[in-house]
């Protein structure tokens, strides 16, 4: 495959950049993450987010809104569910939190983890490499045969399995044995175009998509489980050591050469083809973002510079919370979660939670008599019974009677619905998905803005690519659209022309294998 040609941006070396910057800030001030969706005039249900703090220098990601929900029984009428926004504005500067996290460990909700990835794959990598990817829902194994500058990626093969529910709550040994076993089975099937040079072990890029305090390119301590995992005995341990022990138990002689998270893998994988990739974002079960940072603006490095002067920082933005526009549904879901008070951004924008937020809204509406009259389906009280892919399927239903919506609603509630109820449900889905997509877009703008502030022209003066991956982003067209719309609105039309938001399919797996290659022990 040929390496993508870099496009020269019309704004490269743009001399009037300061002017553009001022314009952009005005745009951010005047644009808002505002939407107001009357789901049904009666019962009236509105969810919206108001404009940003005007006084703050870093308005990106600033949204304000506090939703409150109440039932207002009018005499002789059904109670009406409402979500009302109070105007107590809250400023949420993602960029400021990024700086605080770069200053000192624990300086902000954003951990701003050093990846120890200071150089990118060059294209010269050759040989057979494996990648292992433990996400929140799926476990993937992949092998790739790299052929250097001319041949690039000669062949890839991968397998994917869903992580059994019980392993999410089991012991560390059980989980890592499952991973090592999957890897061993996959490695046994190696053949065809895949060849290991003699005298070498098979090397692995291990993608582990949970917050890890990286201690070197091939070691890192699990800080905490997220995305519904509560595995005992792993937090505080080196996850590579856990994997090595499990591989030993399986009699598998392979070696981890790079430990990365999925965002870092995605960035490395996308950058292999395109030098303009600066940021990578995962929107799957959970969410995270990473970006290329200058080492001289990372105070917590205490002067330790990489030879390239750059490094990839994993923001761990799922933990962002400062001033997010939370509703009663978000708060209740958080309180009932296994990690209350944590991962608040993740809980408003990622695939694990969107379906559950909608379920909670629908339950409240049903209790208010706004869905099925006086009947409140018991099934609708089951947490996580409505999944994000269900929302997506309902939003793709273009049939006259919304038959697919009816079928999913029947599955989830056991009730046959009429067209007006189906329409209302689709609007609830749209409202929650719109909020998620737009907040994710605002987060991206926060990162771009932080980078631009430190290096004028780095981002907005030329073409910049944001590599996206994850099941939510990949499969949910409305979510994608809302995300992109928010980025365009926040940056303004002109500026946003330089920012390319691109799906990087399976970039993470190949990226991890490429990082294993560029950090090879041989
Ligand atoms: P992981 O997060 O385990 O690495 P993925 O990136 O494949 O895995 O993301 C899986 C998540 O993506 C699911 O948990 C779900 O929330 C979301 N998802 C998968 N398919 C769809 C779909 N069709 N519509 C919307 N969301 C989806
Ligand atoms: Mg993943």
């Amino acid at each position: 495959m040929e390496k993508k040609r870099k496009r020269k941006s019309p704004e490269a070396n743009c001399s009037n950049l300061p002017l553009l910057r001022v314009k952009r800030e005005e745009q951010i001030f005047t644009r808002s993450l505002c939407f107001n969706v009357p789901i049904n005039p009666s019962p009236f249900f509105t969810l919206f987010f108001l404009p940003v703090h005007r006084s703050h220098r870093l308005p990106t990601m600033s949204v304000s809104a506090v939703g409150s929900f109440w039932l207002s029984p009018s005499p002789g009428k059904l109670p009406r569910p409402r979500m009302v926004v109070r105007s107590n504005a809250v400023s949420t500067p993602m960029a400021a939190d990024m700086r605080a996290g770069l200053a000192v460990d624990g300086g902000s909700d954003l951990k701003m983890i050093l990846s120890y990835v200071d150089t990118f794959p060059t294209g010269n990598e050759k040989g057979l490499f494996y990648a292992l990817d433990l996400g929140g829902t799926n476990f993937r194994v992949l092998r790739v045969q790299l052929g250097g500058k001319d041949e690039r990626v000669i062949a890839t093969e991968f397998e994917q399995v869903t992580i059994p529910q019980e392993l999410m709550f089991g012991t560390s040994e059980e989980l890592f044995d499952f991973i090592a076993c999957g890897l061993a089975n996959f490695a046994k099937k190696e053949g065809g175009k895949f060849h290991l040079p003699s005298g070498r072990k098979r090397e692995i890029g291990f993608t582990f998509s949970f917050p890890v305090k990286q201690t070197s390119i091939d070691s890192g301590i699990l800080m905490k489980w997220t995305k519904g995992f509560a595995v005992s005995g792993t937090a505080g341990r080196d996850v590579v050591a856990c994997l090595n022990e499990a591989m030993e138990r399986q009699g598998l002689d392979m070696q981890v050469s790079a430990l990365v998270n999925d965002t870092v893998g995605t960035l490395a994988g996308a950058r292999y083809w395109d030098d303009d990739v600066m940021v990578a974002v995962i929107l799957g079960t959970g969410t995270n973002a990473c970006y290329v940072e200058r080492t001289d603006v990372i105070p917590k490095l205490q002067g330790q510079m990489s030879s390239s002067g750059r490094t990839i920082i994993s923001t761990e933005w799922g933990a962002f919370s400062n001033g997010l526009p939370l509703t009663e549904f978000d708060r209740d879901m958080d309180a009932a979660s296994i990690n209350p008070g944590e991962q608040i951004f993740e809980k408003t924008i990622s695939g694990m939670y969107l379906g559950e937020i909608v379920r909670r809204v629908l339950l409240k509406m049903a209790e208010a008599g706004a869905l099925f009259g006086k009947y409140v389906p018991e099934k609708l009280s089951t947490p996580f019974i409505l999944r994000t892919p269900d929302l997506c399927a309902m939003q793709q239903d273009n049939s006259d009677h919304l038959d697919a919506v009816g079928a999913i609603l029947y599955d989830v509630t056991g009730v046959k619905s009429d067209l007006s109820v189906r329409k209302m449900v689709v609007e609830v889905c749209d409202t929650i998905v719109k909020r998620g997509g737009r907040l994710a877009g605002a987060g991206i703008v926060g990162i771009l803005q932080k980078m631009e502030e430190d290096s004028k022209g780095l981002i907005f003066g030329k073409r910049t690519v944001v590599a996206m991956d994850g099941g939510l982003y990949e499969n949910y067209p409305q979510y994608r659209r809302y995300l992109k719309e928010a980025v365009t609105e926040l940056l303004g039309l002109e500026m946003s022309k330089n920012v390319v938001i691109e799906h990087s399919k399976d970039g993470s797996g190949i990226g991890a294998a490429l990082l294993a290659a560029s950090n090879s022990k041989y």
Side-chain angles (χ1 to χ4, degrees), residues 248-294:
E248 253 172 57
R249 288 194 290 272
Q250 290 290 329
L252 189 61
D253 192 19
M254 293 173 85
Q255 174 162 14
V256 176
S257 298
L259 170 69
V260 295
N261 74 31
D262 48 1
T263 56
V264 175
T266 300
L267 203 156
R271 190 137 171 160
Y272 185 66
W273 301 107
D274 186 341
D275 289 339
D276 289 340
V277 178
M278 297 296 275
V279 181
V281 176
I282 298 290
L283 289 157
T285 311
T287 183
N288 190 16
C290 74
Y291 71 106
V292 182
E293 183 58 287
R294 278 169 35 191

Side-chain angles (χ1 to χ4, degrees), residues 44 49 67 85 104 139-140 147 154-155 160 163 183 215 217 255 292 294 320 422 469 482 508 513 516:
F44 179 74
F49 302 100
V85 172
V104 58
F139 163 63
R140 295 182 191 85
I154 296 171
Q160 170 170 313
I163 301 160
L183 179 61
T215 41
I217 183 66
Q255 174 162 14
V292 182
R294 278 169 35 191
F320 182 73
R422 293 174 189 180
D469 203 6
Y482 291 136
S508 148

Side-chain angles (χ1 to χ4, degrees), residues 86-383:
R86 306 234 182 275
S87 62
N88 50 334
V90 183
S91 164
T92 56
M94 167 92 55
D97 268 14
M98 288 171 71
R99 281 182 202 289
L102 288 174
V104 58
D105 277 338
S108 111
D109 283 344
L110 270 60
K111 297 208 163 46
M112 306 300 283
I113 294 172
L114 306 168
S115 66
Y116 288 81
V117 175
D118 304 333
T119 51
F120 294 104
T122 58
N124 291 322
E125 295 78 12
K126 278 189 176 180
L128 169 63
F129 294 91
Y130 275 73
L132 248 181
D133 179 348
L134 184 70
T137 304
N138 298 308
F139 163 63
R140 295 182 191 85
V141 278
L142 169 146
R143 66 182 140 246
V144 56
Q145 187 76 34
L146 299 170
K149 269 268 184 295
D150 297 331
E151 294 180 279
R152 292 266 164 170
V153 174
I154 296 171
T156 54
E157 269 176 2
F158 80 98
E159 278 177 11
Q160 170 170 313
V161 284
T162 300
I163 301 160
Q165 193 79 14
E166 62 274 15
L167 288 185
M168 294 169 63
F169 305 101
T171 65
S172 194
E173 284 77 17
E174 286 163 348
L175 179 65
F176 281 92
D177 279 346
F178 169 79
I179 295 170
C181 180
L183 179 61
N185 289 336
F186 182 64
K188 270 187 215 146
K189 295 178 220 158
E190 182 189 295
K193 291 184 174 165
F194 300 93
H195 307 285
L196 187 74
S198 62
R200 285 193 173 200
K201 278 190 188 181
R202 285 170 182 78
E203 292 182 271
I204 306 168
F206 182 19
T207 306
F208 185 79
S209 311
F210 299 89
V212 161
K213 181 164 173 50
Q214 198 98 21
T215 41
S216 70
I217 183 66
D218 60 2
S219 63
I221 311 290
L222 175 67
M223 297 160 95
K224 60 177 181 183
W225 287 107
T226 53
K227 299 183 272 193
F229 277 64
V231 176
S232 61
T234 329
R237 287 207 60 203
D238 176 4
V239 292
V240 174
C242 294
L243 177 61
N244 282 336
E245 287 161 19
M247 288 197 297
E248 253 172 57
R249 288 194 290 272
Q250 290 290 329
L252 189 61
D253 192 19
M254 293 173 85
Q255 174 162 14
V256 176
S257 298
L259 170 69
V260 295
N261 74 31
D262 48 1
T263 56
V264 175
T266 300
L267 203 156
R271 190 137 171 160
Y272 185 66
W273 301 107
D274 186 341
D275 289 339
D276 289 340
V277 178
M278 297 296 275
V279 181
V281 176
I282 298 290
L283 289 157
T285 311
T287 183
N288 190 16
C290 74
Y291 71 106
V292 182
E293 183 58 287
R294 278 169 35 191
T295 44
D296 64 324
V297 298
I298 311 176
K300 68 183 177 186
L301 267 182
Q302 298 186 325
Q304 295 168 43
M305 300 296 159
S306 67
S307 56
S308 65
R310 297 171 311 187
T311 191
I312 300 180
I313 295 288
S314 170
T315 62
E316 300 297 323
W317 82 358
F320 182 73
S321 67
N322 199 357
L324 280 175
L326 301 181
T327 65
E328 157 181 344
F329 308 105
D330 301 302
R331 278 189 279 271
D332 288 351
M333 179 179 72
D334 176 47
S337 71
I338 57 172
N339 54 350
E342 293 177 7
Q343 300 296 106
I344 304 300
F345 195 47
E346 181 161 273
K347 285 171 181 164
T348 53
I349 71 170
S350 81
M352 176 164 172
Y353 302 100
L354 297 179
E356 172 63 4
I357 300 171
V358 170
R359 180 196 69 84
R360 286 172 177 273
V361 174
L362 295 182
L363 179 62
K364 196 90 180 189
M365 292 175 84
E367 286 168 350
L371 273 187
F372 307 116
K374 285 188 180 150
Y375 182 63
V376 182
E378 208 184 309
K379 269 178 98 177
L380 198 51
S381 298
T382 313

Side-chain angles (χ1 to χ4, degrees), residues 428-457:
V428 175
C429 296
D430 193 60
T431 304
I432 300 304
V433 165
K434 188 173 198 173
R435 179 184 69 159
R438 290 179 70 88
L439 284 173
I444 291 171
V445 174
I447 293 178
L448 296 176
Q449 183 160 334
K450 151 76 178 74
M451 297 171 82
E452 174 73 11
E453 277 165 2
D454 286 342
S455 312
K456 300 276 179 289

